[in-house]
Amino acid sequence: MTGAALIGTWITNQVVFNGVVQGLTIALVGLGIVLIFRSTKVINFAVGNMGLPAAALMAVMMINYDLGFWLSLVTSLVVGAAFAAAVELIVVRRLFDAPRVILLVATIGVAQLAAAIVLVFPDLESTRGAAFPVAFGGIYEFWGMRISGPQLTVLVVVPVLAGLLGWVMNRTTFGRTVKASADNPDLARLSGISPKNVSLFVWIVAGLLSSISIIMLSGIAGSPTGIANLGPSTLNRALAAAVIAGMVSFPRVVLAGLALGVGEALVRFNWFNQVGLIDLLLFLAVLVAVFLQTRGTGAEQSSFSFAPRTRPVPERIQQIWWVRNMGRITGLVFVALAALIPLVITQSSRQLLYTQILVFAIAGVSVVVVTGWSGQLSLGQMAFAGVGALFAASVNRGLAIDFWFLDFEAPGIPWSLSLVCGAVFSAMVAIVIGVGALRVRGLLLAVVTFSFAIAAQSYFYRRPFFSGGYTDSVPFERGEFLGIDLTSERSYYWFVLGVTVVVIAMVGHLRRTGVGRSTIAVRDNPDTASAYTVPSARTKLTAFGFAGAIAGLAGGLLAGSAQVVPLNERFFQVSDSLQLVAAVVIGGLGAVAGPVLGALWVKGLPAIFPGNDSIPLMTSGIGLLVLLLYFPGGLIQIGYSARDAIVRWMEGRIPADDAKQSAAPPPVLHHMRADEPPEDVPAIETHGLSVKFGGIRALDDVAIHVAHNEIVGLIGTNGAGKSTLINAIGGYVPSTGQVLLHGVKIDGRRASARARAGLGRTFQAATLFPELTVHETVMVALEGRGRTGFVSSALVLPPAVKRERARASEASELIDFLGLGRYADAYIADLSTGTRRIVELAGLLALGSTVLCLDEPTAGIAQRETEAFGPLIVEIRRELGAAMIVIEHDMPLIMSISDRMYCLDLGRVLAEGDPDTVRNDPHVVAAYLGTDDRAIERSDQ
């Protein structure tokens, strides 16, 4: 064996070779992750476990029945492909149109299902102690290295498979078909491509890659007994390789896998006594790779339609106090019953169990915030709970820091105050981790937090800063709170019950304030949220930090129940985080009461029926999959259905008052105007504005200007660059050139900052925020007049309450002004296109913008509604005193409302002037209008 020292690190041929073999195997699993992501925009957390049934079957066939290697291998691969196909057909296909975060959660359930299949695999236990079957055995000597048969297999198989996969995906018609299906499924269908068939194929390929990888890893390990444990470890490394590769590049996955494999081999060889060091380095690698991703990386955003909805209560029924307070009454009944439990069940062990169920529910509330509200997925919430618990224990006993130039000791603080410190510290850790992961669109936060959870349990928990020198567990004895002794299990249960009620009430209140509305708006439609001045990255980061604080508090309470913070497998592990996500989805992801039901289901049922073997299956990944497939709203949906039935029953008993007339809308809304802008400079102007998409120049040196209180029409063929122009003006696409708003340069600012400066806009699709009501949507727009304070809203301070009431009143006034009163409590997703466009205009009025960019405001609506839009746009211009840029294909409409017009063609200004001049310009006629008057005058002017 030869070797050399490099900067204090020993490098040998054998170590590097072992690392290359390990890296190639990691790369093979990473190829499956990238393949699924490129094809369906799903991060597949099951790819590491999908090969477990195949590997287990091969071990049983060879070791127990001696069926021959090649027969066993082929059969196992067929089973692996069949398992992947079943997953796609039963799970993925049913959730095909669901938000990507829901599919990601489903893959976690699939991973747990695969592990469960292996654990109950017949005859697998009898293979213990036997060698895993391999194609080539023996040891070969080469260049001073010992090369085993399984390692030689990896060296040959992985490069061949990687090259074949890269050629198919990048050089063949089928590969282009897969890419087209992922980029635009609707257009792919029109072209005769079935996205679902494409999905089935790539899942089968991913299943084969996972099966081959796990089989080869088992062969290198030499024993089938570790099969069930290969999945999570392999997944962490494969995810790291995929993220480093940007989730798109097959060659970069192979290179990243090789780098990770060799790096891990060197670290283990040189620092073998540093437990968990490799997991720390993997976490840091993922964190840096995600931070360096472009902002556009990730799955497409979609509305979170799996959040349970409730029917709006008619105003005439809201007058009945018990109907109006139905939710509060139900909550009080449950709290009263929960408070009586320790008086009925006096065993301390049972009271401790009920306490831990409540703590699990509190931790679940953090998942509701980060996933149910923000649309992201954290797989490390119990790791944040562990960090919070350990920090709370540290400050409770007296914090000692000896790091670099810091060397001091702080006295211990009371137990109850240390809980708060643990929550704050956990929030800070979450914010640091989320800075990189939440600046890009998509679900990379799940990868980062999964890696963090593994690093926490193997490395962070055992740092002296947290452990204080303890090896097995850190003491954290509970004290008293406000003079109340909490040493008994009964008193501590009541204390935790009180904290649970406070946390749920606070989070429920925040959902009804600007904080909750803004977070859901960013989740549903980040572009429109930015147009309403809501900063997407900051809003998601705030939600993640808040979720981290809740998790940290739950961790301190859980440690207080056991009076220790264990450093072993008892609490705060990766499996606990996955179980927490399952519990919240089962209970109901969009409701603050969902985690309570989920905790009772996942933690309570096994405790109530300890001898029933079917209960763990119902509360594991299988239960998660069943709920996702057939009861997507979770258990809370049952309660919502009962509530809606009561509302319908009351509607039948109390007839509508037909004689009641709605009040006439106010004629003007001058108080909605922003400060009058200067009139001596253009309201908006651009100079040399250009946009490139790859090698295509979508906008080429465009210069336009719009005067104060002027309506400028923008016309041109599809693809002429009209939407790209207002996207560049609004900050939604990268551009070069200058954009000036009232003489002030705004190019380089984020879209939300430009909106705060007075630039409003609408979008072609008029999607808005599907899971918010009309009233809530208008209140999101009112955030442009002043952000809702997080702390004041959470603490229900009087100024926050007063501001919330004032905004609700302003929103109602705007809704009535535009005749939307009967839709105020309707969800945006349930409205027609025309009604949604009027809601968009209500948002512009709420913003009080001084410049409005309207992108095809009549697209998708009936001609009768189109004819009514012209006067409405002019009226809004009068109310706001705003300048407007209007993109429109309805020529009679755009010419009737425009003071001036621009015509674009191939990203350049083709003509400008008053409507008649532009209409009669021969270049415009040739390029856009044509010579048929019937096409121009399709409706009366």
Side-chain angles (χ1 to χ4, degrees), residues 237-261:
R237 287 150 178 76
L239 283 170
V243 171
I244 292 172
M247 302 297 291
V248 293
S249 172
F250 292 124
R252 284 170 58 186
V253 169
V254 176
L255 293 177
L258 288 172
L260 292 176

Side-chain angles (χ1 to χ4, degrees), residues 509-772:
H509 172 73
L510 277 174
R511 168 59 186 86
R512 297 186 295 273
T513 67
V515 174
R517 290 189 297 269
S518 298
T519 305
I520 291 176
V522 169
R523 179 198 73 191
D524 278 0
N525 193 333
D527 287 339
T528 301
S530 295
Y532 284 178
T533 75
V534 179
S536 297
R538 187 188 308 170
T539 301
K540 289 187 290 186
L541 191 61
T542 300
F544 189 45
F546 181 47
I550 296 174
L553 176 63
L557 293 171
L558 184 58
S561 68
Q563 303 198 65
V564 295
V565 186
L567 301 176
N568 50 29
E569 298 297 323
R570 187 175 177 188
F571 296 145
F572 311 129
Q573 306 298 300
V574 177
S575 57
D576 296 317
S577 294
L578 299 180
Q579 189 180 49
L580 184 67
V581 171
V584 176
V585 173
I586 288 171
L589 196 52
V592 292
V596 177
L597 298 178
L600 289 173
W601 183 275
V602 172
K603 292 291 187 181
L605 283 181
I608 296 173
F609 306 101
N612 193 324
D613 294 336
S614 62
I615 293 297
L617 295 178
M618 296 173 60
T619 60
S620 67
I622 298 176
L624 171 64
L625 289 175
V626 170
L627 262 294
L628 278 177
L629 295 176
Y630 299 103
F631 304 98
L635 299 176
I636 195 68
Q637 189 66 58
I638 299 173
Y640 284 169
S641 299
R643 177 252 189 210
D644 290 345
I646 294 173
V647 169
R648 284 192 296 269
W649 177 70
M650 290 301 298
E651 279 186 283
R653 292 178 58 89
I654 302 178
D657 185 5
D658 296 330
K660 183 178 179 181
Q661 299 294 326
S662 59
V668 291
L669 295 170
H670 290 308
H671 64 282
M672 290 294 175
R673 289 191 180 189
D675 294 335
E676 288 293 333
E679 298 187 19
D680 56 343
V681 295
I684 190 78
E685 56 183 319
T686 69
H687 300 286
L689 198 59
S690 300
V691 174
K692 285 185 178 181
F693 297 118
I696 300 174
R697 201 172 184 87
L699 214 60
D700 189 6
D701 198 26
V702 171
I704 68 169
H705 69 277
V706 183
H708 175 72
N709 206 29
E710 182 183 32
I711 297 180
V712 170
L714 200 60
I715 63 173
T717 59
N718 289 329
K722 304 182 301 297
S723 295
T724 303
L725 174 58
I726 65 172
N727 280 337
I729 292 173
Y732 294 94
V733 294
S735 62
T736 58
Q738 288 187 340
V739 180
L740 287 83
L741 182 66
H742 303 301
V744 179
K745 287 184 59 177
I746 61 171
D747 48 277
R749 297 188 190 181
R750 297 177 184 271
S752 57
R754 301 187 193 196
R756 283 194 297 274
L759 185 62
R761 72 158 297 179
T762 64
F763 295 84
Q764 285 184 16
T767 306
L768 291 173
F769 314 117
E771 300 305 308
L772 292 181

Side-chain angles (χ1 to χ4, degrees), residues 376-392:
Q376 296 290 319
L377 182 63
S378 171
L379 300 180
Q381 289 306 105
M382 290 306 290
F384 291 118
V387 169
L390 286 166
F391 187 78

